[in-house]
Amino acid sequence: MYHFLPDVKSYVYLPEEDMVIPKELASHIAKEKKQKATPATCYIAKVDTYLMVPDALECSDDIYFFARAYKDKKSFIPYQKSYVDETFIARYISCLLN
């Protein structure tokens, strides 16, 4: 899954590593090893267990949303105990049933 970063102009894409880094750090990398980041390449990849986020579910601002691809309409959040408590589970199930 991927978390797409909003400020594409602040990053440089490293195709050999399949990752982005802040432009400030890119000055130390050879020009041929970096590319301008695009909305589709400006992401942080994370392997985890995820919950699909129903459209009606409200999440706090400190939760990063993930997607399978840049244009994917479905959002996911990592399943972490710090995010998921009894109140969250009740809201989550309610959204799924509505």
Side-chain angles (χ1 to χ4, degrees):
M1 294 278 191
Y2 305 99
H3 170 68
F4 292 92
L5 302 167
D7 190 12
V8 175
K9 293 179 180 180
S10 296
Y11 296 93
V12 172
Y13 180 63
L14 306 176
E16 289 180 16
E17 285 81 20
D18 191 25
M19 65 182 284
V20 290
I21 60 170
K23 275 189 175 178
E24 296 83 28
L25 300 176
S27 62
H28 304 291
I29 296 174
K31 192 173 186 175
E32 64 274 2
K33 296 197 178 262
K34 58 188 177 183
Q35 298 175 357
K36 199 179 222 184
T38 66
T41 62
C42 194
Y43 58 78
I44 298 169
K46 183 176 181 181
V47 176
D48 206 341
T49 301
Y50 292 89
L51 294 172
M52 186 185 71
V53 179
D55 292 336
L57 184 66
E58 293 181 19
C59 296
S60 66
D61 292 338
D62 62 343
I63 295 178
Y64 290 116
F65 291 92
F66 288 76
R68 291 186 182 121
Y70 176 65
K71 299 244 179 190
D72 196 351
K73 301 288 184 211
K74 293 182 182 177
S75 295
F76 298 83
I77 56 172
Y79 176 79
Q80 297 176 358
K81 290 188 179 193
S82 60
Y83 293 163
V84 181
D85 58 14
E86 288 181 20
T87 304
F88 178 87
I89 292 293
R91 285 191 337 232
Y92 186 81
I93 291 171
S94 175
C95 287
L96 288 176
L97 295 176
N98 290 331

